[in-house]
Amino acid sequence: MNFFDGSLFPENQQKLVITAAPYGPEWMPADFPEDIPVSMEEQIQKAVDCYNAGATVLHVHCREDDGHGSKRLSRFNELLAGIRARVPEMILQVGGSISFAPESDGDVAKWLSDDTRHMLADLEPAPDQVTIAINTNQMNVIEQMCDADIRGTTLGTPEGRRAYSEMTIPAGPTWVEEHIRRLSAKGIQTHFQLANITQLETVERMMRRGVCNVPLILTWVAIGGGFDQPNIYNLANFVRGCPDGSVLTLESSMLNVLPINMMAIAMGLHVRCGNEDNIWTQRRDRKMGSVEQIEQLVRISNEFGRDIASCQEAREIYRIGEFYKNADETLAKNGFAPNRQPGERGVPFRMAG
């Protein structure tokens, strides 16, 4: 992405898209009973509350009535239908893991099988987006957390630490290409959740081969444990690698969330918050729910002079419903240099028109 004179002026930036992640699949309800919804009505109402607070994208996981993370797609269908009925404009983004919570006590957290995750393309009603990981990767969400982050929660127990420190993401190239093809065929946008710049480079190569003809709507997930550490050097390197036509959201965990989001607001990027990412105030003097986190970002963005996107504006920014016919169009729309033609020397460049 290029930053030239005026790039930090709010009148030159896109309105802010706020993604809410209020379903916290790594927590059990007892970890934060005031904020983690359990019943179906509570889960639907949480979406409404996030929407009313200013969020325009909802990152969706689902729970069973006993509080455990649901791995049943029929349960997701029920939740999606309930949310659509109450806040039809909101962008619904289903988490591509479905649920990574351990099956039972003592089990390791794990993503569901390739075939099961492919079935996300058949959800009804269809979500607007499904998140996707690129390249099989470690996802040790505990690694960069400190004791104060998880003290008194299920993640702070020996069983919880073991379960989430050993988690990996299966996302090999054959599965990824097929998953994107299935989602696109159903009109569902792929939202890329990327751990580092090497995964971004893989996405670019896929686009150059014509097997990923979609907008580059992505999130930099800086949570450590196989993902980037949230620091300014990693962020700058990743942002520099993103083409000008991409749409980038920043995500981190625990007390890193707010400062990373403040950087995103200042730079004209987009933000994510909610109890899946953090449950504390910056002083750790109390827990902070998803709605309060959204309200905090709205207030800070207003101080920066940057307006909050409406749902319709967020859909336009995210290019929901837009797909491309081939590699040439995909590269052009996303702001990448064109593919090199046979015999072409130097940096490929095409004049407009």
Side-chain angles (χ1 to χ4, degrees):
M1 290 180 168
N2 287 299
F3 290 83
F4 43 84
D5 288 351
S7 294
L8 301 185
F9 298 171
E11 64 265 26
N12 295 329
Q13 297 174 337
Q14 292 175 329
K15 292 184 179 181
L16 183 69
V17 176
I18 300 175
T19 296
Y23 298 114
E26 74 273 31
W27 308 111
M28 288 301 293
D31 293 329
F32 196 180
E34 302 87 350
D35 195 60
I36 295 175
V38 176
S39 72
M40 181 57 65
E41 175 54 34
E42 289 171 343
Q43 293 179 75
I44 294 169
Q45 184 60 47
K46 183 63 70 174
V48 175
D49 294 342
C50 290
Y51 168 82
N52 288 336
T56 48
V57 181
L58 185 73
H59 184 72
V60 179
H61 291 282
C62 191
R63 289 184 189 271
E64 298 288 350
D65 287 332
D66 65 1
H68 287 84
S70 180
K71 303 178 189 299
R72 295 188 299 125
L73 295 184
S74 60
R75 183 78 168 173
F76 277 79
N77 288 336
E78 183 181 0
L79 177 57
L80 292 170
I83 297 171
R84 282 272 189 244
R86 299 278 295 279
V87 280
E89 305 92 351
M90 202 171 195
I91 296 172
L92 301 187
Q93 176 194 95
V94 170
S97 66
I98 302 177
S99 171
F100 48 67
E103 293 278 359
S104 58
D105 293 342
D107 287 345
V108 170
K110 62 185 295 186
W111 289 41
L112 298 189
S113 70
D114 290 358
D115 288 341
T116 302
R117 286 181 289 147
H118 278 324
M119 293 172 65
L120 290 172
D122 299 319
L123 288 171
E124 183 60 44
D128 299 289
Q129 296 182 320
V130 168
T131 62
I132 190 171
I134 301 295
N135 299 336
T136 298
N137 199 65
Q138 187 76 33
M139 188 179 177
N140 176 0
V141 300
I142 300 290
E143 184 183 81
Q144 77 170 19
M145 294 182 185
C146 64
D147 288 342
D149 290 330
I150 56 178
R151 186 178 297 123
T153 74
T154 51
L155 290 187
T157 65
E159 297 79 12
R161 287 178 179 270
R162 175 180 174 274
Y164 284 96
S165 63
E166 295 294 335
M167 182 165 54
T168 57
I169 302 171
T174 299
W175 179 84
V176 166
E177 291 180 17
E178 175 64 14
H179 199 53
I180 293 172
R181 186 193 67 78
R182 293 191 188 198
L183 293 175
S184 297
K186 293 299 181 70
I188 300 171
Q189 186 180 79
T190 299
H191 186 107
F192 298 94
Q193 297 276 108
L194 303 185
N196 49 54
I197 198 167
T198 64
Q199 295 179 1
L200 175 60
E201 291 166 348
T202 292
V203 174
E204 179 181 351
R205 293 186 189 106
M206 292 170 59
M207 290 181 170
R208 292 192 177 281
R209 295 201 312 273
V211 297
C212 182
N213 297 322
V214 299
L216 185 53
I217 314 300
L218 71 163
T219 296
W220 179 60
V221 186
I223 60 174
F227 290 62
D228 269 342
Q229 181 193 40
N231 63 51
I232 189 64
Y233 304 106
N234 289 337
L235 172 59
N237 192 43
F238 191 90
V239 171
R240 183 174 54 185
C242 291
D244 288 334
S246 59
V247 180
L248 177 60
T249 294
L250 304 188
E251 173 188 341
S252 192
S253 66
M254 296 303 184
L255 267 60
N256 295 302
V257 171
L258 182 59
I260 288 293
N261 278 337
M262 291 179 70
M263 294 180 200
I265 293 170
M267 295 170 66
L269 308 177
H270 303 285
V271 298
R272 171 175 144 151
C273 66
N275 62 35
E276 184 171 341
D277 301 341
N278 181 37
I279 58 174
W280 299 105
T281 67
Q282 290 305 101
R283 299 182 186 277
R284 289 202 190 90
D285 53 359
R286 61 181 176 86
K287 291 178 179 174
M288 187 177 191
S290 300
V291 167
E292 187 179 358
Q293 292 179 42
I294 297 166
E295 292 171 341
Q296 181 184 57
L297 292 179
V298 170
R299 183 172 63 252
I300 291 171
S301 192
N302 284 331
E303 291 291 333
F304 274 93
R306 189 170 171 199
D307 295 332
I308 308 301
S310 68
C311 283
Q312 182 56 44
E313 290 166 334
R315 287 177 174 275
E316 294 169 1
I317 291 168
Y318 267 30
R319 312 207 293 271
I320 298 295
E322 189 170 311
F323 301 90
Y324 308 126
K325 61 180 181 292
N326 55 35
D328 289 341
E329 183 181 15
T330 301
L331 296 171
K333 292 287 189 178
N334 287 316
F336 284 115
N339 279 329
R340 188 182 307 280
Q341 298 302 306
E344 185 176 14
R345 293 172 181 261
V347 178
F349 176 76
R350 304 285 182 270
M351 294 294 292

